[in-house]
Amino acid sequence: NNVDLRDGFPAPAGSRVLVAASDRGRMGAALYLLDPDSLATTPWGVVPVDLAEPYGLCMGRRGAAFIVIIDGTDGQVRQLRIAVGAAGEPVATEERRFAVGSQTEGCVVDDARGLLYIGEEGVGIWRYSLDPAAGGPRTLVAAAPSAMLMPDVEGLTLLRDGERTWLIASSQGDSAFAVWRVDGETPTFV
């Protein structure tokens, strides 16, 4: 359903791009290893999750850790750290689980700032810390419906331009994209 990737993953055959996709058929996240030189992609395994239906997915990096976030149609979220096991297999360690409230899909991680953005389709966009130990409340970036967003809130992405970072959200209800500058303390709608 959703796909994301991060480069520099320490795979058994050397540095690879870790690719993850939400997989509703196999109830988890399908993992692949992509060779950045040849672009050859190898299926690596499936990480099962206990969601009603795995739906959205995004990835992030926190230091040397590779993180996969999977959210479900019921608003549940699982944050997993992915590593290589002794036999070269994927090992997923659940770092945290939480509920957004209702159906989610789009999510994106700001690796540089350690932030996770999740779109709750009929409610808006939430910002969380990527650090499971940080705790703390979530922050509503923008409500939906509003002048900025019309449900359903769908895909989210980040665009970096030098020192500036922009959060872009698909506002499906009005066939538009909403944009915020998010490199400061408070997101600014532009």
Tab-separated table of all heavy atoms in Angstrom, residues 1-3 21-24 27-29 47 49-59 68-80 96-109 116-121 124 126 128 153-156:
chain	number	residue	atom	x	y	z
A	1	ASN	N	0.830	-1.197	0.000
A	1	ASN	CA	0.000	0.000	0.000
A	1	ASN	C	0.867	1.250	0.000
A	1	ASN	O	0.629	2.157	-0.783
A	1	ASN	CB	-0.935	-0.008	1.214
A	1	ASN	CG	-2.115	0.900	1.032
A	1	ASN	OD1	-2.768	0.847	0.009
A	1	ASN	ND2	-2.378	1.748	1.990
A	2	ASN	N	1.857	1.352	0.868
A	2	ASN	CA	2.797	2.471	0.911
A	2	ASN	C	4.205	1.915	0.905
A	2	ASN	O	4.458	0.825	1.414
A	2	ASN	CB	2.616	3.311	2.177
A	2	ASN	CG	1.308	4.091	2.210
A	2	ASN	OD1	0.911	4.588	3.227
A	2	ASN	ND2	0.626	4.204	1.083
A	3	VAL	N	5.142	2.667	0.349
A	3	VAL	CA	6.532	2.242	0.240
A	3	VAL	C	7.433	3.363	0.712
A	3	VAL	O	7.163	4.543	0.472
A	3	VAL	CB	6.890	1.899	-1.235
A	3	VAL	CG1	8.352	1.511	-1.361
A	3	VAL	CG2	5.995	0.799	-1.763
A	21	ALA	N	7.443	-1.980	2.468
A	21	ALA	CA	6.115	-1.710	1.921
A	21	ALA	C	5.069	-2.315	2.846
A	21	ALA	O	5.236	-3.438	3.320
A	21	ALA	CB	5.986	-2.326	0.525
A	22	SER	N	3.995	-1.563	3.101
A	22	SER	CA	2.906	-2.154	3.874
A	22	SER	C	2.247	-3.226	3.010
A	22	SER	O	2.040	-3.044	1.813
A	22	SER	CB	1.897	-1.090	4.321
A	22	SER	OG	1.438	-0.315	3.241
A	23	ASP	N	1.950	-4.366	3.630
A	23	ASP	CA	1.463	-5.528	2.894
A	23	ASP	C	0.220	-6.064	3.596
A	23	ASP	O	0.324	-6.809	4.577
A	23	ASP	CB	2.570	-6.589	2.839
A	23	ASP	CG	2.235	-7.757	1.933
A	23	ASP	OD1	1.032	-8.088	1.779
A	23	ASP	OD2	3.182	-8.350	1.396
A	24	ARG	N	-0.943	-5.670	3.101
A	24	ARG	CA	-2.201	-6.097	3.718
A	24	ARG	C	-2.466	-7.577	3.515
A	24	ARG	O	-3.119	-8.205	4.329
A	24	ARG	CB	-3.368	-5.276	3.168
A	24	ARG	CG	-3.309	-3.833	3.628
A	24	ARG	CD	-4.534	-3.084	3.232
A	24	ARG	NE	-4.413	-2.599	1.866
A	24	ARG	CZ	-5.328	-1.859	1.273
A	24	ARG	NH1	-6.430	-1.532	1.898
A	24	ARG	NH2	-5.147	-1.446	0.047
A	27	MET	N	-0.268	-9.199	6.112
A	27	MET	CA	-0.467	-8.586	7.440
A	27	MET	C	0.838	-8.119	8.077
A	27	MET	O	1.172	-8.497	9.204
A	27	MET	CB	-1.198	-9.546	8.373
A	27	MET	CG	-2.613	-9.872	7.920
A	27	MET	SD	-3.673	-8.410	7.807
A	27	MET	CE	-3.820	-7.971	9.531
A	28	GLY	N	1.575	-7.280	7.354
A	28	GLY	CA	2.810	-6.762	7.916
A	28	GLY	C	3.515	-5.820	6.975
A	28	GLY	O	2.893	-5.168	6.142
A	29	ALA	N	4.827	-5.796	7.116
A	29	ALA	CA	5.686	-4.978	6.263
A	29	ALA	C	6.588	-5.900	5.467
A	29	ALA	O	7.316	-6.721	6.044
A	29	ALA	CB	6.527	-4.022	7.096
A	47	VAL	N	7.742	-8.696	7.987
A	47	VAL	CA	7.637	-8.478	9.425
A	47	VAL	C	6.148	-8.404	9.764
A	47	VAL	O	5.463	-7.469	9.334
A	47	VAL	CB	8.345	-7.166	9.843
A	47	VAL	CG1	8.107	-6.870	11.305
A	47	VAL	CG2	9.821	-7.233	9.513
A	49	VAL	N	2.686	-7.746	11.808
A	49	VAL	CA	2.220	-6.813	12.842
A	49	VAL	C	0.797	-7.179	13.224
A	49	VAL	O	0.057	-7.755	12.426
A	49	VAL	CB	2.284	-5.337	12.383
A	49	VAL	CG1	3.710	-4.865	12.219
A	49	VAL	CG2	1.502	-5.119	11.115
A	50	ASP	N	0.433	-6.847	14.452
A	50	ASP	CA	-0.891	-7.182	14.958
A	50	ASP	C	-1.846	-5.996	14.811
A	50	ASP	O	-2.419	-5.513	15.766
A	50	ASP	CB	-0.805	-7.644	16.415
A	50	ASP	CG	-0.282	-6.566	17.346
A	50	ASP	OD1	0.344	-5.597	16.867
A	50	ASP	OD2	-0.511	-6.670	18.566
A	51	LEU	N	-2.020	-5.552	13.575
A	51	LEU	CA	-2.972	-4.488	13.269
A	51	LEU	C	-4.203	-5.104	12.620
A	51	LEU	O	-4.108	-6.149	11.972
A	51	LEU	CB	-2.347	-3.474	12.305
A	51	LEU	CG	-1.158	-2.675	12.834
A	51	LEU	CD1	-0.528	-1.855	11.706
A	51	LEU	CD2	-1.581	-1.769	13.974
A	52	ALA	N	-5.338	-4.437	12.753
A	52	ALA	CA	-6.552	-4.921	12.093
A	52	ALA	C	-6.316	-5.032	10.596
A	52	ALA	O	-6.710	-6.004	9.966
A	52	ALA	CB	-7.716	-3.987	12.386
A	53	GLU	N	-5.638	-4.034	10.021
A	53	GLU	CA	-5.274	-4.055	8.611
A	53	GLU	C	-4.109	-3.089	8.410
A	53	GLU	O	-4.281	-1.880	8.519
A	53	GLU	CB	-6.462	-3.635	7.744
A	53	GLU	CG	-6.160	-3.676	6.270
A	53	GLU	CD	-7.365	-3.264	5.427
A	53	GLU	OE1	-8.377	-2.805	5.975
A	53	GLU	OE2	-7.264	-3.404	4.213
A	54	PRO	N	-2.890	-3.599	8.148
A	54	PRO	CA	-1.764	-2.707	7.871
A	54	PRO	C	-2.094	-1.830	6.668
A	54	PRO	O	-2.562	-2.337	5.642
A	54	PRO	CB	-0.607	-3.654	7.552
A	54	PRO	CG	-0.994	-4.961	8.162
A	54	PRO	CD	-2.491	-5.005	8.083
A	55	TYR	N	-1.871	-0.538	6.791
A	55	TYR	CA	-2.326	0.381	5.759
A	55	TYR	C	-1.200	1.327	5.345
A	55	TYR	O	-0.609	1.177	4.306
A	55	TYR	CB	-3.549	1.129	6.290
A	55	TYR	CG	-4.434	1.727	5.240
A	55	TYR	CD1	-4.933	0.981	4.186
A	55	TYR	CD2	-4.814	3.061	5.330
A	55	TYR	CE1	-5.766	1.533	3.228
A	55	TYR	CE2	-5.653	3.620	4.388
A	55	TYR	CZ	-6.127	2.871	3.335
A	55	TYR	OH	-6.948	3.425	2.399
A	56	GLY	N	-0.879	2.280	6.199
A	56	GLY	CA	0.188	3.222	5.888
A	56	GLY	C	1.529	2.734	6.399
A	56	GLY	O	1.609	1.885	7.291
A	57	LEU	N	2.603	3.274	5.810
A	57	LEU	CA	3.949	2.893	6.221
A	57	LEU	C	4.899	4.027	5.904
A	57	LEU	O	4.762	4.705	4.889
A	57	LEU	CB	4.398	1.629	5.479
A	57	LEU	CG	5.820	1.147	5.775
A	57	LEU	CD1	5.860	-0.361	5.846
A	57	LEU	CD2	6.807	1.653	4.741
A	58	CYS	N	5.874	4.230	6.775
A	58	CYS	CA	6.981	5.137	6.495
A	58	CYS	C	8.199	4.626	7.259
A	58	CYS	O	8.094	3.761	8.113
A	58	CYS	CB	6.652	6.587	6.851
A	58	CYS	SG	6.168	6.886	8.563
A	59	MET	N	9.354	5.158	6.882
A	59	MET	CA	10.603	4.735	7.511
A	59	MET	C	11.353	5.952	8.024
A	59	MET	O	11.129	7.076	7.578
A	59	MET	CB	11.491	3.995	6.511
A	59	MET	CG	10.934	2.668	6.073
A	59	MET	SD	12.039	1.826	4.930
A	59	MET	CE	13.409	1.432	6.018
A	68	VAL	N	10.825	1.366	11.067
A	68	VAL	CA	9.656	1.227	10.200
A	68	VAL	C	8.425	1.516	11.051
A	68	VAL	O	8.270	0.949	12.134
A	68	VAL	CB	9.565	-0.185	9.584
A	68	VAL	CG1	8.238	-0.375	8.855
A	68	VAL	CG2	10.727	-0.437	8.634
A	69	ILE	N	7.576	2.421	10.562
A	69	ILE	CA	6.319	2.743	11.232
A	69	ILE	C	5.194	2.232	10.347
A	69	ILE	O	5.148	2.547	9.154
A	69	ILE	CB	6.159	4.260	11.468
A	69	ILE	CG1	7.209	4.749	12.478
A	69	ILE	CG2	4.772	4.583	12.001
A	69	ILE	CD1	8.379	5.368	11.861
A	70	ILE	N	4.300	1.429	10.917
A	70	ILE	CA	3.155	0.892	10.194
A	70	ILE	C	1.902	1.321	10.945
A	70	ILE	O	1.814	1.158	12.169
A	70	ILE	CB	3.196	-0.646	10.113
A	70	ILE	CG1	4.537	-1.115	9.554
A	70	ILE	CG2	2.049	-1.177	9.263
A	70	ILE	CD1	4.768	-2.599	9.695
A	71	ASP	N	0.943	1.895	10.203
A	71	ASP	CA	-0.313	2.266	10.852
A	71	ASP	C	-1.454	1.508	10.193
A	71	ASP	O	-1.320	0.961	9.106
A	71	ASP	CB	-0.534	3.780	10.864
A	71	ASP	CG	-0.483	4.418	9.487
A	71	ASP	OD1	-1.138	3.914	8.571
A	71	ASP	OD2	0.202	5.445	9.350
A	72	GLY	N	-2.559	1.440	10.909
A	72	GLY	CA	-3.675	0.624	10.462
A	72	GLY	C	-4.943	1.402	10.220
A	72	GLY	O	-5.073	2.561	10.616
A	73	THR	N	-5.885	0.731	9.587
A	73	THR	CA	-7.172	1.354	9.299
A	73	THR	C	-7.955	1.668	10.577
A	73	THR	O	-8.885	2.453	10.542
A	73	THR	CB	-8.025	0.443	8.396
A	73	THR	OG1	-8.141	-0.843	9.015
A	73	THR	CG2	-7.396	0.299	7.016
A	74	ASP	N	-7.552	1.077	11.693
A	74	ASP	CA	-8.227	1.334	12.973
A	74	ASP	C	-7.518	2.399	13.801
A	74	ASP	O	-7.870	2.636	14.958
A	74	ASP	CB	-8.363	0.046	13.780
A	74	ASP	CG	-7.017	-0.584	14.116
A	74	ASP	OD1	-5.975	-0.111	13.624
A	74	ASP	OD2	-7.016	-1.569	14.880
A	75	GLY	N	-6.481	3.048	13.245
A	75	GLY	CA	-5.778	4.110	13.959
A	75	GLY	C	-4.645	3.642	14.845
A	75	GLY	O	-3.994	4.444	15.502
A	76	GLN	N	-4.392	2.342	14.883
A	76	GLN	CA	-3.281	1.818	15.672
A	76	GLN	C	-1.959	2.001	14.915
A	76	GLN	O	-1.927	1.920	13.688
A	76	GLN	CB	-3.493	0.336	15.966
A	76	GLN	CG	-4.628	0.058	16.918
A	76	GLN	CD	-4.317	0.557	18.312
A	76	GLN	OE1	-3.239	0.336	18.852
A	76	GLN	NE2	-5.277	1.255	18.902
A	77	VAL	N	-0.872	2.230	15.659
A	77	VAL	CA	0.448	2.451	15.065
A	77	VAL	C	1.455	1.540	15.765
A	77	VAL	O	1.423	1.382	16.989
A	77	VAL	CB	0.894	3.922	15.219
A	77	VAL	CG1	2.282	4.149	14.631
A	77	VAL	CG2	-0.115	4.867	14.587
A	78	ARG	N	2.351	0.947	14.970
A	78	ARG	CA	3.468	0.156	15.495
A	78	ARG	C	4.770	0.748	14.968
A	78	ARG	O	4.905	1.002	13.774
A	78	ARG	CB	3.375	-1.315	15.049
A	78	ARG	CG	2.087	-2.012	15.430
A	78	ARG	CD	1.913	-2.144	16.939
A	78	ARG	NE	0.702	-2.850	17.278
A	78	ARG	CZ	-0.443	-2.269	17.630
A	78	ARG	NH1	-0.521	-0.951	17.692
A	78	ARG	NH2	-1.496	-2.993	17.934
A	79	GLN	N	5.709	0.981	15.874
A	79	GLN	CA	7.029	1.488	15.517
A	79	GLN	C	8.034	0.380	15.783
A	79	GLN	O	8.181	-0.081	16.909
A	79	GLN	CB	7.366	2.736	16.334
A	79	GLN	CG	8.720	3.322	15.994
A	79	GLN	CD	8.935	4.684	16.647
A	79	GLN	OE1	8.047	5.517	16.681
A	79	GLN	NE2	10.136	4.899	17.160
A	80	LEU	N	8.736	-0.056	14.717
A	80	LEU	CA	9.646	-1.197	14.790
A	80	LEU	C	11.057	-0.787	14.402
A	80	LEU	O	11.247	-0.031	13.451
A	80	LEU	CB	9.187	-2.296	13.823
A	80	LEU	CG	7.725	-2.723	13.904
A	80	LEU	CD1	7.364	-3.601	12.724
A	80	LEU	CD2	7.451	-3.437	15.216
A	96	ARG	N	7.506	0.809	20.183
A	96	ARG	CA	6.318	1.355	20.836
A	96	ARG	C	5.099	1.094	19.977
A	96	ARG	O	5.193	0.806	18.796
A	96	ARG	CB	6.461	2.845	21.126
A	96	ARG	CG	6.428	3.731	19.906
A	96	ARG	CD	6.441	5.193	20.300
A	96	ARG	NE	6.730	6.012	19.130
A	96	ARG	CZ	6.699	7.313	19.127
A	96	ARG	NH1	6.404	7.969	20.226
A	96	ARG	NH2	6.956	7.993	18.027
A	97	ARG	N	3.952	1.204	20.640
A	97	ARG	CA	2.658	1.114	19.985
A	97	ARG	C	1.770	2.180	20.590
A	97	ARG	O	1.850	2.477	21.785
A	97	ARG	CB	2.037	-0.273	20.125
A	97	ARG	CG	1.842	-0.716	21.554
A	97	ARG	CD	1.164	-2.061	21.717
A	97	ARG	NE	1.788	-3.109	20.938
A	97	ARG	CZ	1.131	-4.146	20.408
A	97	ARG	NH1	-0.156	-4.265	20.594
A	97	ARG	NH2	1.765	-5.056	19.721
A	98	PHE	N	0.963	2.774	19.754
A	98	PHE	CA	0.040	3.794	20.240
A	98	PHE	C	-1.134	3.904	19.276
A	98	PHE	O	-1.105	3.343	18.180
A	98	PHE	CB	0.727	5.151	20.445
A	98	PHE	CG	1.381	5.738	19.220
A	98	PHE	CD1	0.711	6.654	18.428
A	98	PHE	CD2	2.676	5.393	18.869
A	98	PHE	CE1	1.314	7.210	17.313
A	98	PHE	CE2	3.291	5.945	17.756
A	98	PHE	CZ	2.604	6.857	16.969
A	99	ALA	N	-2.158	4.615	19.698
A	99	ALA	CA	-3.351	4.823	18.882
A	99	ALA	C	-3.446	6.288	18.510
A	99	ALA	O	-3.296	7.166	19.363
A	99	ALA	CB	-4.597	4.398	19.646
A	100	VAL	N	-3.702	6.538	17.243
A	100	VAL	CA	-3.914	7.908	16.776
A	100	VAL	C	-5.356	8.312	17.062
A	100	VAL	O	-5.612	9.435	17.466
A	100	VAL	CB	-3.568	8.039	15.274
A	100	VAL	CG1	-3.955	9.390	14.728
A	100	VAL	CG2	-2.092	7.780	15.058
A	101	GLY	N	-6.293	7.411	16.846
A	101	GLY	CA	-7.694	7.695	17.139
A	101	GLY	C	-8.630	7.084	16.124
A	101	GLY	O	-9.554	6.369	16.469
A	102	SER	N	-8.393	7.364	14.835
A	102	SER	CA	-9.214	6.790	13.772
A	102	SER	C	-8.310	6.486	12.580
A	102	SER	O	-7.084	6.550	12.705
A	102	SER	CB	-10.357	7.744	13.401
A	102	SER	OG	-9.846	8.962	12.902
A	103	GLN	N	-8.894	6.181	11.437
A	103	GLN	CA	-8.118	5.684	10.297
A	103	GLN	C	-6.963	6.604	9.915
A	103	GLN	O	-7.122	7.804	9.805
A	103	GLN	CB	-9.013	5.468	9.084
A	103	GLN	CG	-8.264	4.850	7.921
A	103	GLN	CD	-9.167	4.299	6.856
A	103	GLN	OE1	-10.289	3.908	7.128
A	103	GLN	NE2	-8.681	4.241	5.646
A	104	THR	N	-5.807	5.986	9.733
A	104	THR	CA	-4.595	6.696	9.334
A	104	THR	C	-4.072	6.070	8.053
A	104	THR	O	-4.447	4.971	7.684
A	104	THR	CB	-3.507	6.567	10.420
A	104	THR	OG1	-3.187	5.185	10.575
A	104	THR	CG2	-3.947	7.135	11.740
A	105	GLU	N	-3.204	6.785	7.372
A	105	GLU	CA	-2.473	6.202	6.254
A	105	GLU	C	-1.145	6.916	6.117
A	105	GLU	O	-0.108	6.394	6.453
A	105	GLU	CB	-3.249	6.266	4.935
A	105	GLU	CG	-2.459	5.603	3.814
A	105	GLU	CD	-3.181	5.582	2.486
A	105	GLU	OE1	-4.330	6.031	2.408
A	105	GLU	OE2	-2.570	5.111	1.520
A	106	GLY	N	-1.159	8.124	5.598
A	106	GLY	CA	0.089	8.819	5.316
A	106	GLY	C	0.904	9.090	6.563
A	106	GLY	O	0.378	9.477	7.606
A	107	CYS	N	2.214	8.855	6.436
A	107	CYS	CA	3.141	9.221	7.500
A	107	CYS	C	4.495	9.512	6.867
A	107	CYS	O	4.776	9.076	5.755
A	107	CYS	CB	3.235	8.154	8.584
A	107	CYS	SG	3.883	6.535	8.100
A	108	VAL	N	5.305	10.275	7.571
A	108	VAL	CA	6.650	10.595	7.101
A	108	VAL	C	7.503	10.921	8.323
A	108	VAL	O	7.010	11.466	9.311
A	108	VAL	CB	6.641	11.753	6.077
A	108	VAL	CG1	6.218	13.076	6.710
A	108	VAL	CG2	7.988	11.892	5.385
A	109	VAL	N	8.796	10.578	8.236
A	109	VAL	CA	9.721	10.831	9.335
A	109	VAL	C	10.733	11.887	8.909
A	109	VAL	O	11.314	11.808	7.830
A	109	VAL	CB	10.463	9.536	9.737
A	109	VAL	CG1	11.551	9.830	10.767
A	109	VAL	CG2	9.481	8.517	10.295
A	116	LEU	N	8.026	12.432	13.757
A	116	LEU	CA	7.129	11.598	12.979
A	116	LEU	C	5.839	12.375	12.758
A	116	LEU	O	5.247	12.896	13.710
A	116	LEU	CB	6.838	10.306	13.753
A	116	LEU	CG	5.681	9.431	13.279
A	116	LEU	CD1	5.933	8.892	11.881
A	116	LEU	CD2	5.435	8.291	14.273
A	117	TYR	N	5.419	12.475	11.498
A	117	TYR	CA	4.147	13.098	11.143
A	117	TYR	C	3.207	12.002	10.661
A	117	TYR	O	3.601	11.156	9.857
A	117	TYR	CB	4.325	14.130	10.028
A	117	TYR	CG	5.172	15.310	10.416
A	117	TYR	CD1	6.544	15.301	10.213
A	117	TYR	CD2	4.604	16.436	11.003
A	117	TYR	CE1	7.331	16.376	10.564
A	117	TYR	CE2	5.390	17.525	11.368
A	117	TYR	CZ	6.755	17.488	11.142
A	117	TYR	OH	7.527	18.562	11.510
A	118	ILE	N	1.962	11.999	11.170
A	118	ILE	CA	0.959	11.008	10.775
A	118	ILE	C	-0.323	11.736	10.400
A	118	ILE	O	-0.793	12.600	11.149
A	118	ILE	CB	0.668	10.008	11.909
A	118	ILE	CG1	1.921	9.192	12.236
A	118	ILE	CG2	-0.483	9.074	11.529
A	118	ILE	CD1	1.732	8.171	13.350
A	119	GLY	N	-0.892	11.343	9.261
A	119	GLY	CA	-2.172	11.897	8.851
A	119	GLY	C	-3.316	11.021	9.339
A	119	GLY	O	-3.377	9.842	9.013
A	120	GLU	N	-4.174	11.598	10.153
A	120	GLU	CA	-5.411	10.924	10.563
A	120	GLU	C	-6.477	11.392	9.578
A	120	GLU	O	-6.830	12.580	9.568
A	120	GLU	CB	-5.764	11.271	12.011
A	120	GLU	CG	-6.923	10.492	12.545
A	120	GLU	CD	-7.198	10.777	14.027
A	120	GLU	OE1	-6.535	11.627	14.638
A	120	GLU	OE2	-8.112	10.136	14.555
A	121	GLU	N	-6.950	10.499	8.721
A	121	GLU	CA	-7.663	10.873	7.509
A	121	GLU	C	-8.781	11.890	7.695
A	121	GLU	O	-8.897	12.824	6.916
A	121	GLU	CB	-8.177	9.627	6.789
A	121	GLU	CG	-7.056	8.822	6.190
A	121	GLU	CD	-7.519	7.719	5.273
A	121	GLU	OE1	-8.746	7.486	5.137
A	121	GLU	OE2	-6.635	7.086	4.672
A	124	GLY	N	-6.828	15.272	10.789
A	124	GLY	CA	-5.737	16.212	10.523
A	124	GLY	C	-4.390	15.543	10.564
A	124	GLY	O	-4.277	14.314	10.447
A	126	TRP	N	-0.821	14.980	12.709
A	126	TRP	CA	-0.228	14.977	14.041
A	126	TRP	C	1.291	14.879	13.940
A	126	TRP	O	1.820	14.220	13.061
A	126	TRP	CB	-0.722	13.786	14.859
A	126	TRP	CG	-2.188	13.802	15.122
A	126	TRP	CD1	-3.157	13.109	14.450
A	126	TRP	CD2	-2.865	14.538	16.135
A	126	TRP	NE1	-4.389	13.368	14.986
A	126	TRP	CE2	-4.241	14.250	16.022
A	126	TRP	CE3	-2.444	15.421	17.130
A	126	TRP	CZ2	-5.198	14.802	16.862
A	126	TRP	CZ3	-3.392	15.971	17.972
A	126	TRP	CH2	-4.752	15.663	17.834
A	128	TYR	N	4.692	13.747	16.252
A	128	TYR	CA	5.164	12.991	17.413
A	128	TYR	C	6.692	13.017	17.417
A	128	TYR	O	7.321	13.167	16.374
A	128	TYR	CB	4.755	11.518	17.322
A	128	TYR	CG	3.280	11.244	17.307
A	128	TYR	CD1	2.548	11.353	16.129
A	128	TYR	CD2	2.613	10.843	18.453
A	128	TYR	CE1	1.187	11.072	16.100
A	128	TYR	CE2	1.259	10.554	18.433
A	128	TYR	CZ	0.549	10.675	17.247
A	128	TYR	OH	-0.790	10.391	17.223
A	153	VAL	N	-7.187	13.223	4.627
A	153	VAL	CA	-5.758	13.508	4.638
A	153	VAL	C	-5.069	12.215	4.217
A	153	VAL	O	-5.262	11.184	4.833
A	153	VAL	CB	-5.278	13.944	6.037
A	153	VAL	CG1	-3.779	14.164	6.048
A	153	VAL	CG2	-6.031	15.190	6.494
A	154	GLU	N	-4.301	12.262	3.159
A	154	GLU	CA	-3.686	11.037	2.621
A	154	GLU	C	-2.171	11.093	2.742
A	154	GLU	O	-1.660	11.161	3.840
A	154	GLU	CB	-4.142	10.818	1.170
A	154	GLU	CG	-5.628	10.475	1.053
A	154	GLU	CD	-5.978	9.087	1.536
A	154	GLU	OE1	-5.106	8.203	1.590
A	154	GLU	OE2	-7.164	8.869	1.865
A	155	GLY	N	-1.473	11.088	1.622
A	155	GLY	CA	-0.021	10.992	1.647
A	155	GLY	C	0.664	12.205	2.255
A	155	GLY	O	0.177	13.331	2.151
A	156	LEU	N	1.797	11.957	2.913
A	156	LEU	CA	2.644	13.006	3.479
A	156	LEU	C	4.061	12.801	2.979
A	156	LEU	O	4.512	11.665	2.822
A	156	LEU	CB	2.668	12.938	5.013
A	156	LEU	CG	1.354	13.073	5.766
A	156	LEU	CD1	1.598	12.905	7.267
A	156	LEU	CD2	0.691	14.412	5.476
